[in-house]
Amino acid sequence: MAVATLTACGSSDDGVPVLNFYTAADGATQYAQSAEDCTRAANGRYRIVHQTLPKSADDQRLQLARRLVAGDPEVDIMLLDVTWTAEFAEAGWIEPFPEDLAREVAEGTLPAAYETGMYQGRLWAAPLNTNTQLLWYRTDLSPTPPATWDEMIRRSEELARQGLPSYIAVQGAQYEGLTVWFNTLLTSAGGQIVDESGKVLIGEGDAARRAVEIMHRVATSPAADPSLPVSQENDGRLLMEAGLAAFQVNYPFVNASINTPAPDGGGGGAFLDERGRPTTVDTGRQVVDVFAWAPYPSVEPGKPATVTIGGFNLAVSTTGGHPDLAFEAVRCLRNRDNQLRNAVGAGVPPTLIELYDDPAFQAEYPAWRAILQSLENASVRPKTPAYQNISIVIADVLNPPAEIDVDTVVARLTEEVERAVNSEGLVP
């Protein structure tokens, strides 16, 4: 229906080519402003019209896929989740970047972010923004941050025995967040789910077993949050703000949230135990006063974790009528000013390395050093057209984490992922 409201042939009434720019709903204000700024910068060569997709990532992907399968000429530039690159490229829905532009995009871009837009040796999507997880913890309960998962679990159990807030907030629900948790642990232990050829690698070595052992230990620990099997990112944020969690692994948005005063002027929550009772730990203070960050816990002592990178990339469709202009527009949409605007206004870290030295960025991201360090050591999700199916089966097999059978689950994961890789069809 949205397509029907646009002028045919991708041009406005005055003959200026129209480039329709489809983005997620989150951050729509910033994306719309970028479209306006780049339209002005084009000096009449083209006009970028911002179009908003549904809030759900699955709905975004499905709507774009349906339009592209139908050959919709009104889809020009798309904001793609980093997990969609291989699928959209393999399906022939997006154009590969010209080699000179690909080299330009690589210049000054975080290598891990650039890698999310690569498939089979070509760049298919230019990184616009990114994301990574850190460890967030309470300094009153853990004066120094745990460096490894083993250390964090043991410290959490000690707090539980003392009757103090002790939960480790993680993403344990049956969704993409659970797959991300597993992939981060797996790659941190030196493993991989699949390679670009589709070969399933989960069963090689002991990395997968080490990953699921950690997940099972967290879920069966005396300090495990009872809601862990249904917990997502926002649930972990609220758990810590309520004073129930000692640790959480989560994205940088939690720092802005805990520092936002509550309507009653409180903010940050009080120190409470698992039953909601005040503890003996500085009951007159707020959680925000002792809220700190550190690198994501390692699997192997002394070896940085390889946190699974997130974010959105810009791609040019094969169905639009102005691919050359679309690539020109992508160059503008991901420039320094637009990435800084997205970072400050929409809470998504940039992919341009130089912005991590920008005072405006650092003011909004006090944890910027830890974020940059995490991104420099990041891992990417499996680059395969079957990723969506792979993620679904992994989240299904590993949920609930407390019921993982560490002796048999790796073989089951290998079998299920092989089935996912061999399935036909790109759109479920």
Side-chain angles (χ1 to χ4, degrees):
M1 292 179 66
V3 174
T5 66
L6 301 173
T7 305
C9 301
S11 296
S12 59
D13 291 338
D14 56 7
V16 175
V18 170
L19 302 176
N20 289 290
F21 174 33
Y22 286 83
T23 77
D26 291 338
T29 299
Q30 288 74 32
Y31 298 135
Q33 186 61 56
S34 296
E36 291 182 14
D37 290 353
C38 289
T39 294
R40 283 194 294 272
N43 293 318
R45 286 173 47 76
Y46 54 80
R47 178 177 300 140
I48 304 175
V49 177
H50 178 246
Q51 309 285 350
T52 303
L53 294 165
K55 289 186 70 67
S56 163
D58 288 342
D59 290 340
Q60 294 166 23
R61 170 176 163 270
L62 186 58
Q63 184 176 127
L64 287 175
R66 285 174 172 169
R67 289 174 177 270
L68 295 167
V69 166
D72 190 342
E74 304 295 349
V75 179
D76 298 287
I77 304 168
M78 299 167 287
L79 198 64
L80 300 187
D81 188 285
V82 294
T83 66
W84 303 342
T85 303
E87 176 185 5
F88 279 52
E90 189 73 23
W93 295 338
I94 53 179
E95 298 276 3
F97 274 59
E99 291 299 327
D100 59 339
L101 181 54
R103 288 191 294 270
E104 179 183 322
V105 171
E107 186 70 27
T109 295
L110 288 162
Y114 187 83
E115 190 63 27
T116 65
M118 293 287 291
Y119 179 62
Q120 301 294 343
R122 298 291 303 274
L123 181 70
W124 299 85
L128 177 62
N129 54 58
T130 187
N131 221 340
T132 188
Q133 292 190 328
L134 303 177
L135 170 64
W136 307 87
Y137 69 104
R138 281 173 45 170
T139 58
D140 63 318
L141 301 173
S142 182
T144 58
T148 66
W149 279 92
D150 180 67
E151 183 183 346
M152 182 164 64
I153 294 168
R154 287 189 286 106
R155 193 169 299 181
S156 178
E157 291 172 342
E158 292 171 2
L159 292 170
R161 286 192 291 270
Q162 298 172 41
L164 297 173
S166 58
Y167 292 154
I168 299 173
V170 294
Q171 293 78 52
Q174 187 177 331
Y175 80 119
E176 175 69 11
L178 182 59
T179 302
V180 167
W181 185 20
F182 171 71
N183 189 66
T184 295
L185 296 176
L186 176 71
T187 58
S188 296
Q192 189 177 354
I193 295 176
V194 300
D195 63 17
E196 282 197 50
S197 71
K199 182 181 179 181
V200 179
L201 304 173
I202 287 182
E204 297 192 1
D206 66 347
R209 183 182 176 92
R210 295 176 68 186
V212 296
E213 283 177 343
I214 289 172
M215 299 174 79
H216 185 256
R217 282 185 64 195
V218 170
T220 57
S221 163
D225 170 27
S227 67
L228 187 149
V230 294
S231 180
Q232 300 188 18
E233 289 88 354
N234 203 47
D235 301 305
R237 172 187 70 83
L238 294 172
L239 198 68
M240 178 155 273
E241 289 183 6
L244 298 174
F247 310 100
Q248 69 168 318
V249 288
N250 218 329
Y251 296 95
F253 81 98
V254 301
N255 188 60
S257 175
I258 203 168
N259 281 281
T260 300
D264 61 3
F271 291 145
L272 307 172
D273 66 13
E274 66 276 8
R275 297 182 182 179
R277 302 169 303 190
T279 73
T280 59
V281 185
D282 287 343
T283 54
R285 298 171 65 192
Q286 300 290 318
V287 174
V288 66
D289 297 327
V290 291
F291 188 67
W293 57 83
Y296 192 99
S298 298
V299 172
E300 298 183 7
K303 183 178 179 180
T306 53
V307 183
T308 305
I309 198 171
F312 284 101
N313 299 336
L314 292 164
V316 172
S317 80
T318 54
T319 65
H322 308 285
D324 291 342
L325 294 178
F327 279 121
E328 181 181 327
V330 165
R331 181 186 285 111
C332 177
L333 290 169
R334 68 176 305 272
N335 68 18
R336 187 184 191 284
D337 290 344
N338 287 325
Q339 289 207 28
L340 181 59
R341 176 191 292 117
N342 290 339
V344 173
V348 283
T351 62
L352 294 176
I353 299 172
E354 66 175 285
L355 284 174
Y356 288 82
D357 291 327
D358 190 284
F361 173 76
Q362 294 177 357
E364 289 293 324
Y365 291 79
W368 66 270
R369 286 187 180 86
I371 294 171
L372 180 58
Q373 177 184 344
S374 182
L375 291 170
E376 289 174 338
N377 294 309
S379 61
V380 300
R381 292 168 172 88
K383 293 194 287 184
T384 167
Y387 178 76
Q388 301 302 321
N389 291 337
I390 289 174
S391 178
I392 289 170
V393 300
I394 289 176
D396 177 62
V397 170
L398 298 180
N399 179 269
E403 296 182 12
I404 292 173
D405 185 336
V406 297
D407 293 323
T408 63
V409 74
V410 175
R412 185 182 170 196
L413 281 169
T414 300
E415 180 182 356
E416 293 295 335
V417 170
E418 285 177 345
R419 290 177 179 175
V421 169
N422 295 327
S423 65
E424 296 182 359
L426 298 174
V427 183

